[in-house]
Structures are given as structure tokens and as C-alpha cells.
Amino acid sequence: MLAMYGGNIGLDQAEAMLISKIAQAHGGKTLSGDKDTIGQLPMDGIPIAAITCRPRQVAALVRFADEICEHASRAGRHHIAAGTLPDHNKLFHYYASSVRGAVCIPNGCFKLHLAINTKYLLASYPLPPDAAGVSAEKYLIDDVLDRIVKLDCERRYCNQFLDPGLQTNELDVCIELMEDREERPSIWVLAEVDRYSFRIPAKEGYPGAQDAWRDGMPELKGLTLAGRAKEGWKK
């Protein structure tokens, strides 16, 4: 049907090739091994039909948007509640279910709000096997912080190709630790037992994420929080 009405993008080689190049810049490395995949795209101002396309800005927008799109709506809530998640999927779905908000505000700050149930902090979870078939394990909070490091790294990288009005200047992160509590007989609520709030200011450069902000929160580690959770969560 698309081909009948001239809507088959495969018939427009110029546009198809440009989209392909933008998609290839979504991550990984170039053929020469360079991590600066967006920087290898054609210079801004490529004419396509009656418009001028800016491939670097499009690639940066798509790449950063993909980085921030994981939130509670993408979690398998039914499987979480039923306890039927495959082991190798638990980390992602527990993380996604914890993201309460991820939004850019007008001053160029990106706000990330997580609420993590302490029952998910008790144990480590297997990662998908690597190329050699070996599967390591990881605690949820360690995975959360690693994802924040990657988010900041991608934010700084994509900023290089975005107009000033589209750039994010810093990350504002809030991590709430929540515990199931019986408020009344058979009435359970989530109660906050601890909270960590911090900002990651603007930095230049990519790759090599700078995560010195983690040094100020030595207690925010998998083994440490697992121990606190097992003890009944005392501050």
C-alpha cells in the first residue's frame, strides 16, 4: 500500500541512506573504532526534498531520548507481582518499576526520581551471559548507579550536537528507599525509610564518565544496603 502511494522510503535512496547513517550512530563504535559515532555523520544542513536535515542533531535527540525512556510503564508489573520474571530479566524490570519520573525542566536540568522497594535490595541478580557464556551477578542499587553514570555520560556527549535550548546542564537525582509496612491489619502501604538526593553538574568530554559524586555516598552500595535490609532497615 505504501509503495502504491509513493510512501515506501526504500524508493528514496537519499533519505533511506541518511536514516541508516543516523541509526548507525546510535551507539557502539565506528569502523575505525572511534566512539564518536555522531561526530562522523555528515555536517548539518543536508537537503532532503524540500527540507534541510540536521543529522547530528537528530541522532543526538534520538540517542538521548532512548537513554531516558525507561520508566515504570515499561516494567512487567504482572510478572513482578506474580514472581514469574526470568532471573536474567529481574534487574531491568526492578529498575524500570522504580523510576517514578524522568523529565527535563525549563532551566536545562534533567530530573530523575526513583522509588526502590527495599525487598529488591536483599539479593544480587544474574546478568545476561556474555559472549563467553559467563553470567555475573549484580545488586540493584549498583545497577541503578551505573545507569546514572551512563545517563550522564550520554547527556554530555549528546549536548555537543544539540542547540543550546535542547541541552541539559545537569542531573538532579532523588532515590527513595521504600519498605512494605502493614498500616492496619491486611492494609499494606509503602513507607519511605531513607532518601538520597544529589546533583551531577555539567562537565565536558566523552567518553569516560566522571562519577566522583559516588564517593560522597559510600553507603549506597549493594552489599551495604542488603545488610541493612536484612536487619530490618535501621538508619
Side-chain angles (χ1 to χ4, degrees), residues 39 99 113 117 133 150 162 165 185 191:
V99 180
H113 182 195
N117 195 311
K150 183 173 182 292
L162 296 173

Side-chain angles (χ1 to χ4, degrees), residues 39-61:
Q40 306 303 312
L41 288 172
M43 294 296 293
D44 288 350
I46 303 297
I48 296 291
I51 65 170
T52 299
C53 178
R54 301 172 62 186
R56 293 185 180 183
Q57 177 146 282
V58 172
L61 282 171

Side-chain angles (χ1 to χ4, degrees), residues 26 61-70 74:
H26 199 63
L61 282 171
V62 173
R63 183 159 166 169
F64 188 60
D66 185 55
E67 194 67 32
I68 64 177
C69 70
E70 294 168 355
R74 300 188 69 178

Side-chain angles (χ1 to χ4, degrees), residues 112-144:
L112 179 65
H113 182 195
L114 299 102
I116 303 174
N117 195 311
T118 57
K119 66 184 178 184
Y120 301 142
L121 303 176
L122 289 166
S124 58
Y125 304 98
L127 297 168
D130 60 19
V134 178
S135 179
E137 293 199 349
K138 198 175 189 180
Y139 285 95
L140 176 59
I141 193 63
D142 296 330
D143 187 60
V144 166

Side-chain angles (χ1 to χ4, degrees), residues 76-91:
R77 297 178 182 178
H78 169 76
H79 290 290
I80 291 176
T84 54
L85 279 174
D87 287 342
H88 292 118
N89 295 122
K90 288 180 178 178
L91 263 181

